């Protein structure tokens, strides 16, 4: 009854010591796409793809079976139409009373549909991984380009800050010069006043000198007016330079912050790239394990 149940529900095939089929049930023959009678006498290698049948692992596989070792795993085989099928198979050496191997029994389950589904999932995972990796690499490249641009802007900004600082220093120097000219103009005006007084005391002899003194006084007055205008302009320039300096400093702070954010983004892109590579490796491992 047990043997009958196995024959009915399990795919089974038997090989002799020359690796030829000596018996096969209908389940196994149908899974392979053969008529059972046609399979009798066929060599085991006829069910294998050349890459395995002609490789060094094939003979070792049979040597292990002939030495009495059983084998169980997911295996790839070729059906009657040359198509790929997958079997969950167990090869069991059959021993006689003296412990010698007399034949090999193989029990298998057709897992082709399950394997194809798994391969499709693995392929999708690998494609997702490749897509993530491409996007991550693109993000890294763009971030690097953006970082370089911001670094160039930062260099220009630093130069502008240095230039503005120099302008502020020069404005302060001009303010000091203007102050000196103002003092000279005040002294000149005072001297012109004294000269006018002395010219008045001199009477007729001091008229020419009085005219010169008045002209000097007018000139001093005009200098004072010009100095006031220059001072007003300098104050305006100083204020503008100060405002620009504040704006530039704020821009520099934003640039530094942007550089930090871009570096963080690059690290995250690199993490995504590494994760996608791990996903690809895990997908391949998963396929091999299943």
């Amino acid at each position: 009854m047990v043997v009958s149940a196995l024959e009915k529900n399990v795919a089974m095939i038997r090989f002799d010591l020359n690796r030829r089929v000596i018996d096969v049930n209908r389940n196994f023959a149908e899974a392979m796409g053969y008529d059972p009678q046609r399979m009798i006498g066929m060599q085991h290698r006829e069910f294998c793809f050349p890459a395995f049948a002609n490789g060094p692992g094939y003979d070792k596989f049979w040597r292990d079976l002939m030495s009495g070792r059983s084998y169980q795993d997911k295996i790839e085989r070729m059906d009657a139409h040359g198509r790929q099928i997958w079997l969950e198979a167990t090869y069991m050496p059959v021993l006689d009373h003296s412990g010698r191997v007399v034949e090999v029994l193989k029990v298998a389950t057709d897992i082709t549909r399950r394997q194809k589904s798994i391969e499709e999932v693995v392929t999708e995972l690998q494609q997702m991984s490749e897509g993530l990796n491409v996007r991550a690499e693109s993000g890294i490249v763009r971030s690097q380009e953006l970082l370089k641009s911001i670094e160039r802007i930062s260099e220009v900004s630093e130069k502008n800050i240095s230039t503005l600082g120099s302008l502020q220093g020069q404005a302060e120097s001009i303010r000091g010069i203007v102050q000196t000219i103002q003092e000279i103009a005040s002294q000149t005006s005072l001297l012109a006043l004294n000269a006018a007084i002395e010219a008045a005391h001199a009477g007729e002899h001091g008229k020419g000198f009085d005219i010169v003194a008045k002209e000097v006084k007018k000139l001093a007055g005009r200098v004072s007016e010009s100095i006031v205008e220059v001072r007003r302009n300098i104050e305006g320039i100083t204020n503008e330079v100060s405002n620009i300096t504040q704006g530039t400093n704020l821009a520099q702070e934003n640039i530094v912050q942007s550089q930090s954010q871009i570096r963080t983004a690059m690290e995250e892109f690199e993490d995504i790239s590494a994760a996608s590579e791990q996903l690809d490796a895990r997908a391949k491992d998963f396929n091999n394990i299943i």
Side-chain angles (χ1 to χ4, degrees), residues 150-188:
I150 290 180
E151 286 175 349
R152 288 194 292 268
I153 294 172
S154 178
E155 291 176 1
V156 174
S157 178
E158 289 176 356
K159 290 180 180 178
N160 288 341
I161 291 174
S162 177
T163 301
L164 289 171
S166 176
L167 286 175
Q168 285 181 320
Q170 292 177 19
E172 291 297 326
S173 298
I174 294 173
R175 188 178 295 168
I177 294 171
V178 169
Q179 181 64 35
T180 300
I181 295 173
Q182 178 67 46
E183 292 174 357
I184 292 172
S186 297
Q187 292 293 328
T188 302

Side-chain angles (χ1 to χ4, degrees), residues 88-106:
E88 189 70 51
T90 301
Y91 286 80
M92 296 173 286
V94 179
L95 310 178
D96 63 10
H97 294 295
S98 63
R100 292 181 302 175
V101 177
V102 294
E103 64 179 64
V104 174
L105 172 64
K106 175 182 177 181

Side-chain angles (χ1 to χ4, degrees), residues 26-42:
R26 183 163 297 278
N27 290 336
F28 195 97
E30 289 179 352
M32 297 294 292
Y34 287 96
D35 179 86
Q37 291 302 318
R38 183 186 167 193
M39 294 184 72
I40 302 301
M42 291 182 65

Side-chain angles (χ1 to χ4, degrees), residues 14-32:
R14 292 162 54 205
F15 298 92
D16 63 15
L17 300 183
N18 294 318
R19 310 175 187 178
R20 292 184 180 277
V21 178
I22 56 176
D23 187 35
V24 59
N25 70 355
R26 183 163 297 278
N27 290 336
F28 195 97
E30 289 179 352
M32 297 294 292

